[in-house]
Amino acid sequence: MNTQRNTQPNNHPEVLSFYDKATNTISYIVIDPATKHAAIVDSVLDYDPKAGRVSTASADEMIAAVKAHDLTIDWIVETHVHADHFSAAQYLQQHIGSGVIGIGGQIAPVQSNFADMFDMGIDFKTDGSQFDHLFQDGESFTVGTIEAKAIYTPGHTPACMSYLIGDAVFVGDTLFMPDYGTARCDFPGGDAHALYASVQRLFTLPPETRMFTAHDYQPGGREPAWETTVGEQKAKNVQIREGISEDEFVAMRQKRDATLAAPVLILPSLQVNIRGGDLPDPSGNGRRYLKIPLNAM
């Protein structure tokens, strides 16, 4: 992981960014400089699919940063159930000793769908109880003294939530950098019409609002980037800038989605992430197993 530090004065959050090259994921520590209280957004637990091996180097880097900055973690939040990496939420909470694990309140139908796909059994609860907190649309919370709000932004999945923390909004996969576009909408419960509406909602935020994405795929081979603004997205996003109608966007999104392969880690990562980042329980021989359902995608 490469770490970058970005600061703003006037009690706006300081944002530490952690780029995971293996999955093109960016995780964040969002800090209230006045109190050194912070939130973690979209953490990564490392997974080698060839060896079936889980490791913690990326999460340990975040823990080291928490210690180096003498931070108190208030929240460990997920923007959605990720299909391309494992969440490190449980590991971070255990090793940091604080942090409420939260996700959008519409998680239950996502859990129900995938619990059935992976035959997770009648004991697996599909009510979101694996998470400490389920955010509702418009819900207010705080990171230290900084006011924050959960914004329901479905489309990529039916449970996506963006988090506005001070003057910074963390949008998960809903939007990428302006030169790449928007999230795919072909996962179960995804909907291009819903995504269009969600983006229009984000576009009502002040244009100077800093926007942080969960992934960057470096179009044209440019260097990784993950910070933009609402105003820049409205003016320049190649798929959904101002002036692009809903019908145009939906037609483009559906045509493009029909050409996309499934993410490499979708089957293993979903099994972990609907559990809030917890690994499957050990079997009788003491080993943990991930299931690969055939012809399910």
Side-chain angles (χ1 to χ4, degrees):
M1 271 192 172
N2 297 321
T3 307
Q4 291 188 6
R5 184 171 180 174
N6 177 52
T7 61
Q8 287 288 341
N10 304 322
N11 205 35
H12 291 178
E14 176 181 354
V15 180
L16 303 183
S17 308
F18 300 80
Y19 174 65
D20 179 50
K21 184 177 181 181
T23 62
N24 301 107
T25 301
I26 305 93
S27 305
Y28 301 98
I29 302 177
V30 190
I31 306 167
D32 173 16
T35 64
K36 292 193 174 182
H37 282 241
I40 292 173
V41 182
D42 288 341
S43 59
V44 172
L45 187 68
D46 302 311
Y47 176 67
D48 178 356
K50 295 179 180 179
R53 183 174 297 279
V54 174
S55 57
T56 61
S58 296
D60 289 338
E61 186 176 353
M62 299 193 86
I63 292 171
V66 169
K67 293 179 178 178
H69 294 277
D70 193 25
L71 303 176
T72 298
I73 300 300
D74 293 341
W75 297 94
I76 302 171
V77 300
E78 305 288 348
T79 54
H80 62 295
V81 173
H82 306 278
D84 40 25
H85 69 271
F86 288 14
S87 165
Q90 295 282 342
Y91 178 83
L92 289 170
Q93 186 186 63
Q94 292 165 10
H95 287 78
I96 292 171
S98 66
V100 176
I101 298 174
I103 199 167
Q106 298 298 317
I107 184 65
V110 176
Q111 288 179 315
S112 295
N113 180 75
F114 292 118
D116 177 69
M117 178 185 293
F118 296 111
D119 190 27
M120 298 176 78
I122 60 174
D123 292 334
F124 181 80
K125 295 181 179 180
T126 56
D127 58 2
S129 58
Q130 296 84 355
F131 298 84
D132 299 324
H133 185 79
L134 301 180
F135 286 100
Q136 302 305 312
D137 183 30
E139 181 178 345
S140 296
F141 61 106
T142 59
V143 176
T145 60
I146 296 178
E147 295 294 325
K149 184 172 73 170
I151 305 172
Y152 183 43
T153 49
H156 175 54
T157 81
C160 290
M161 193 71 75
S162 296
Y163 300 100
L164 178 65
I165 304 174
D167 72 338
V169 63
F170 299 84
V171 298
D173 289 11
T174 298
L175 283 162
F176 300 120
M177 292 298 286
D179 60 352
Y180 194 80
T182 67
R184 63 194 295 171
C185 299
D186 58 336
F187 295 153
D191 185 282
H193 291 282
L195 184 65
Y196 185 88
S198 293
V199 172
Q200 301 313 306
R201 189 175 184 193
L202 291 170
F203 281 176
T204 67
L205 295 172
E208 67 273 14
T209 303
R210 294 179 289 159
M211 181 179 286
F212 294 88
T213 70
H215 296 284
D216 185 60
Y217 299 105
Q218 304 165 58
R222 63 158 170 73
E223 289 297 307
W226 46 80
E227 180 180 351
T228 179
T229 65
V230 168
E232 186 176 22
Q233 291 279 27
K234 289 172 69 174
K236 298 180 180 179
N237 189 287
V238 294
Q239 294 180 348
I240 202 167
R241 63 187 176 275
E242 283 188 311
I244 294 178
S245 71
E246 181 173 352
D247 287 345
E248 290 174 313
F249 172 75
V250 170
M252 176 281 303
R253 189 68 267 172
Q254 291 177 342
K255 181 178 180 180
R256 176 165 171 74
D257 288 350
T259 69
L260 299 178
V264 172
L265 298 185
I266 185 170
L267 293 175
S269 64
L270 289 172
Q271 296 173 68
V272 172
N273 294 340
I274 63 172
R275 301 172 188 266
D278 204 6
L279 297 175
D281 294 334
S283 293
N285 63 1
R287 292 186 180 275
R288 301 177 190 268
Y289 290 88
L290 295 166
K291 298 179 179 179
I292 302 299
L294 301 179
N295 303 320
M297 301 299 295

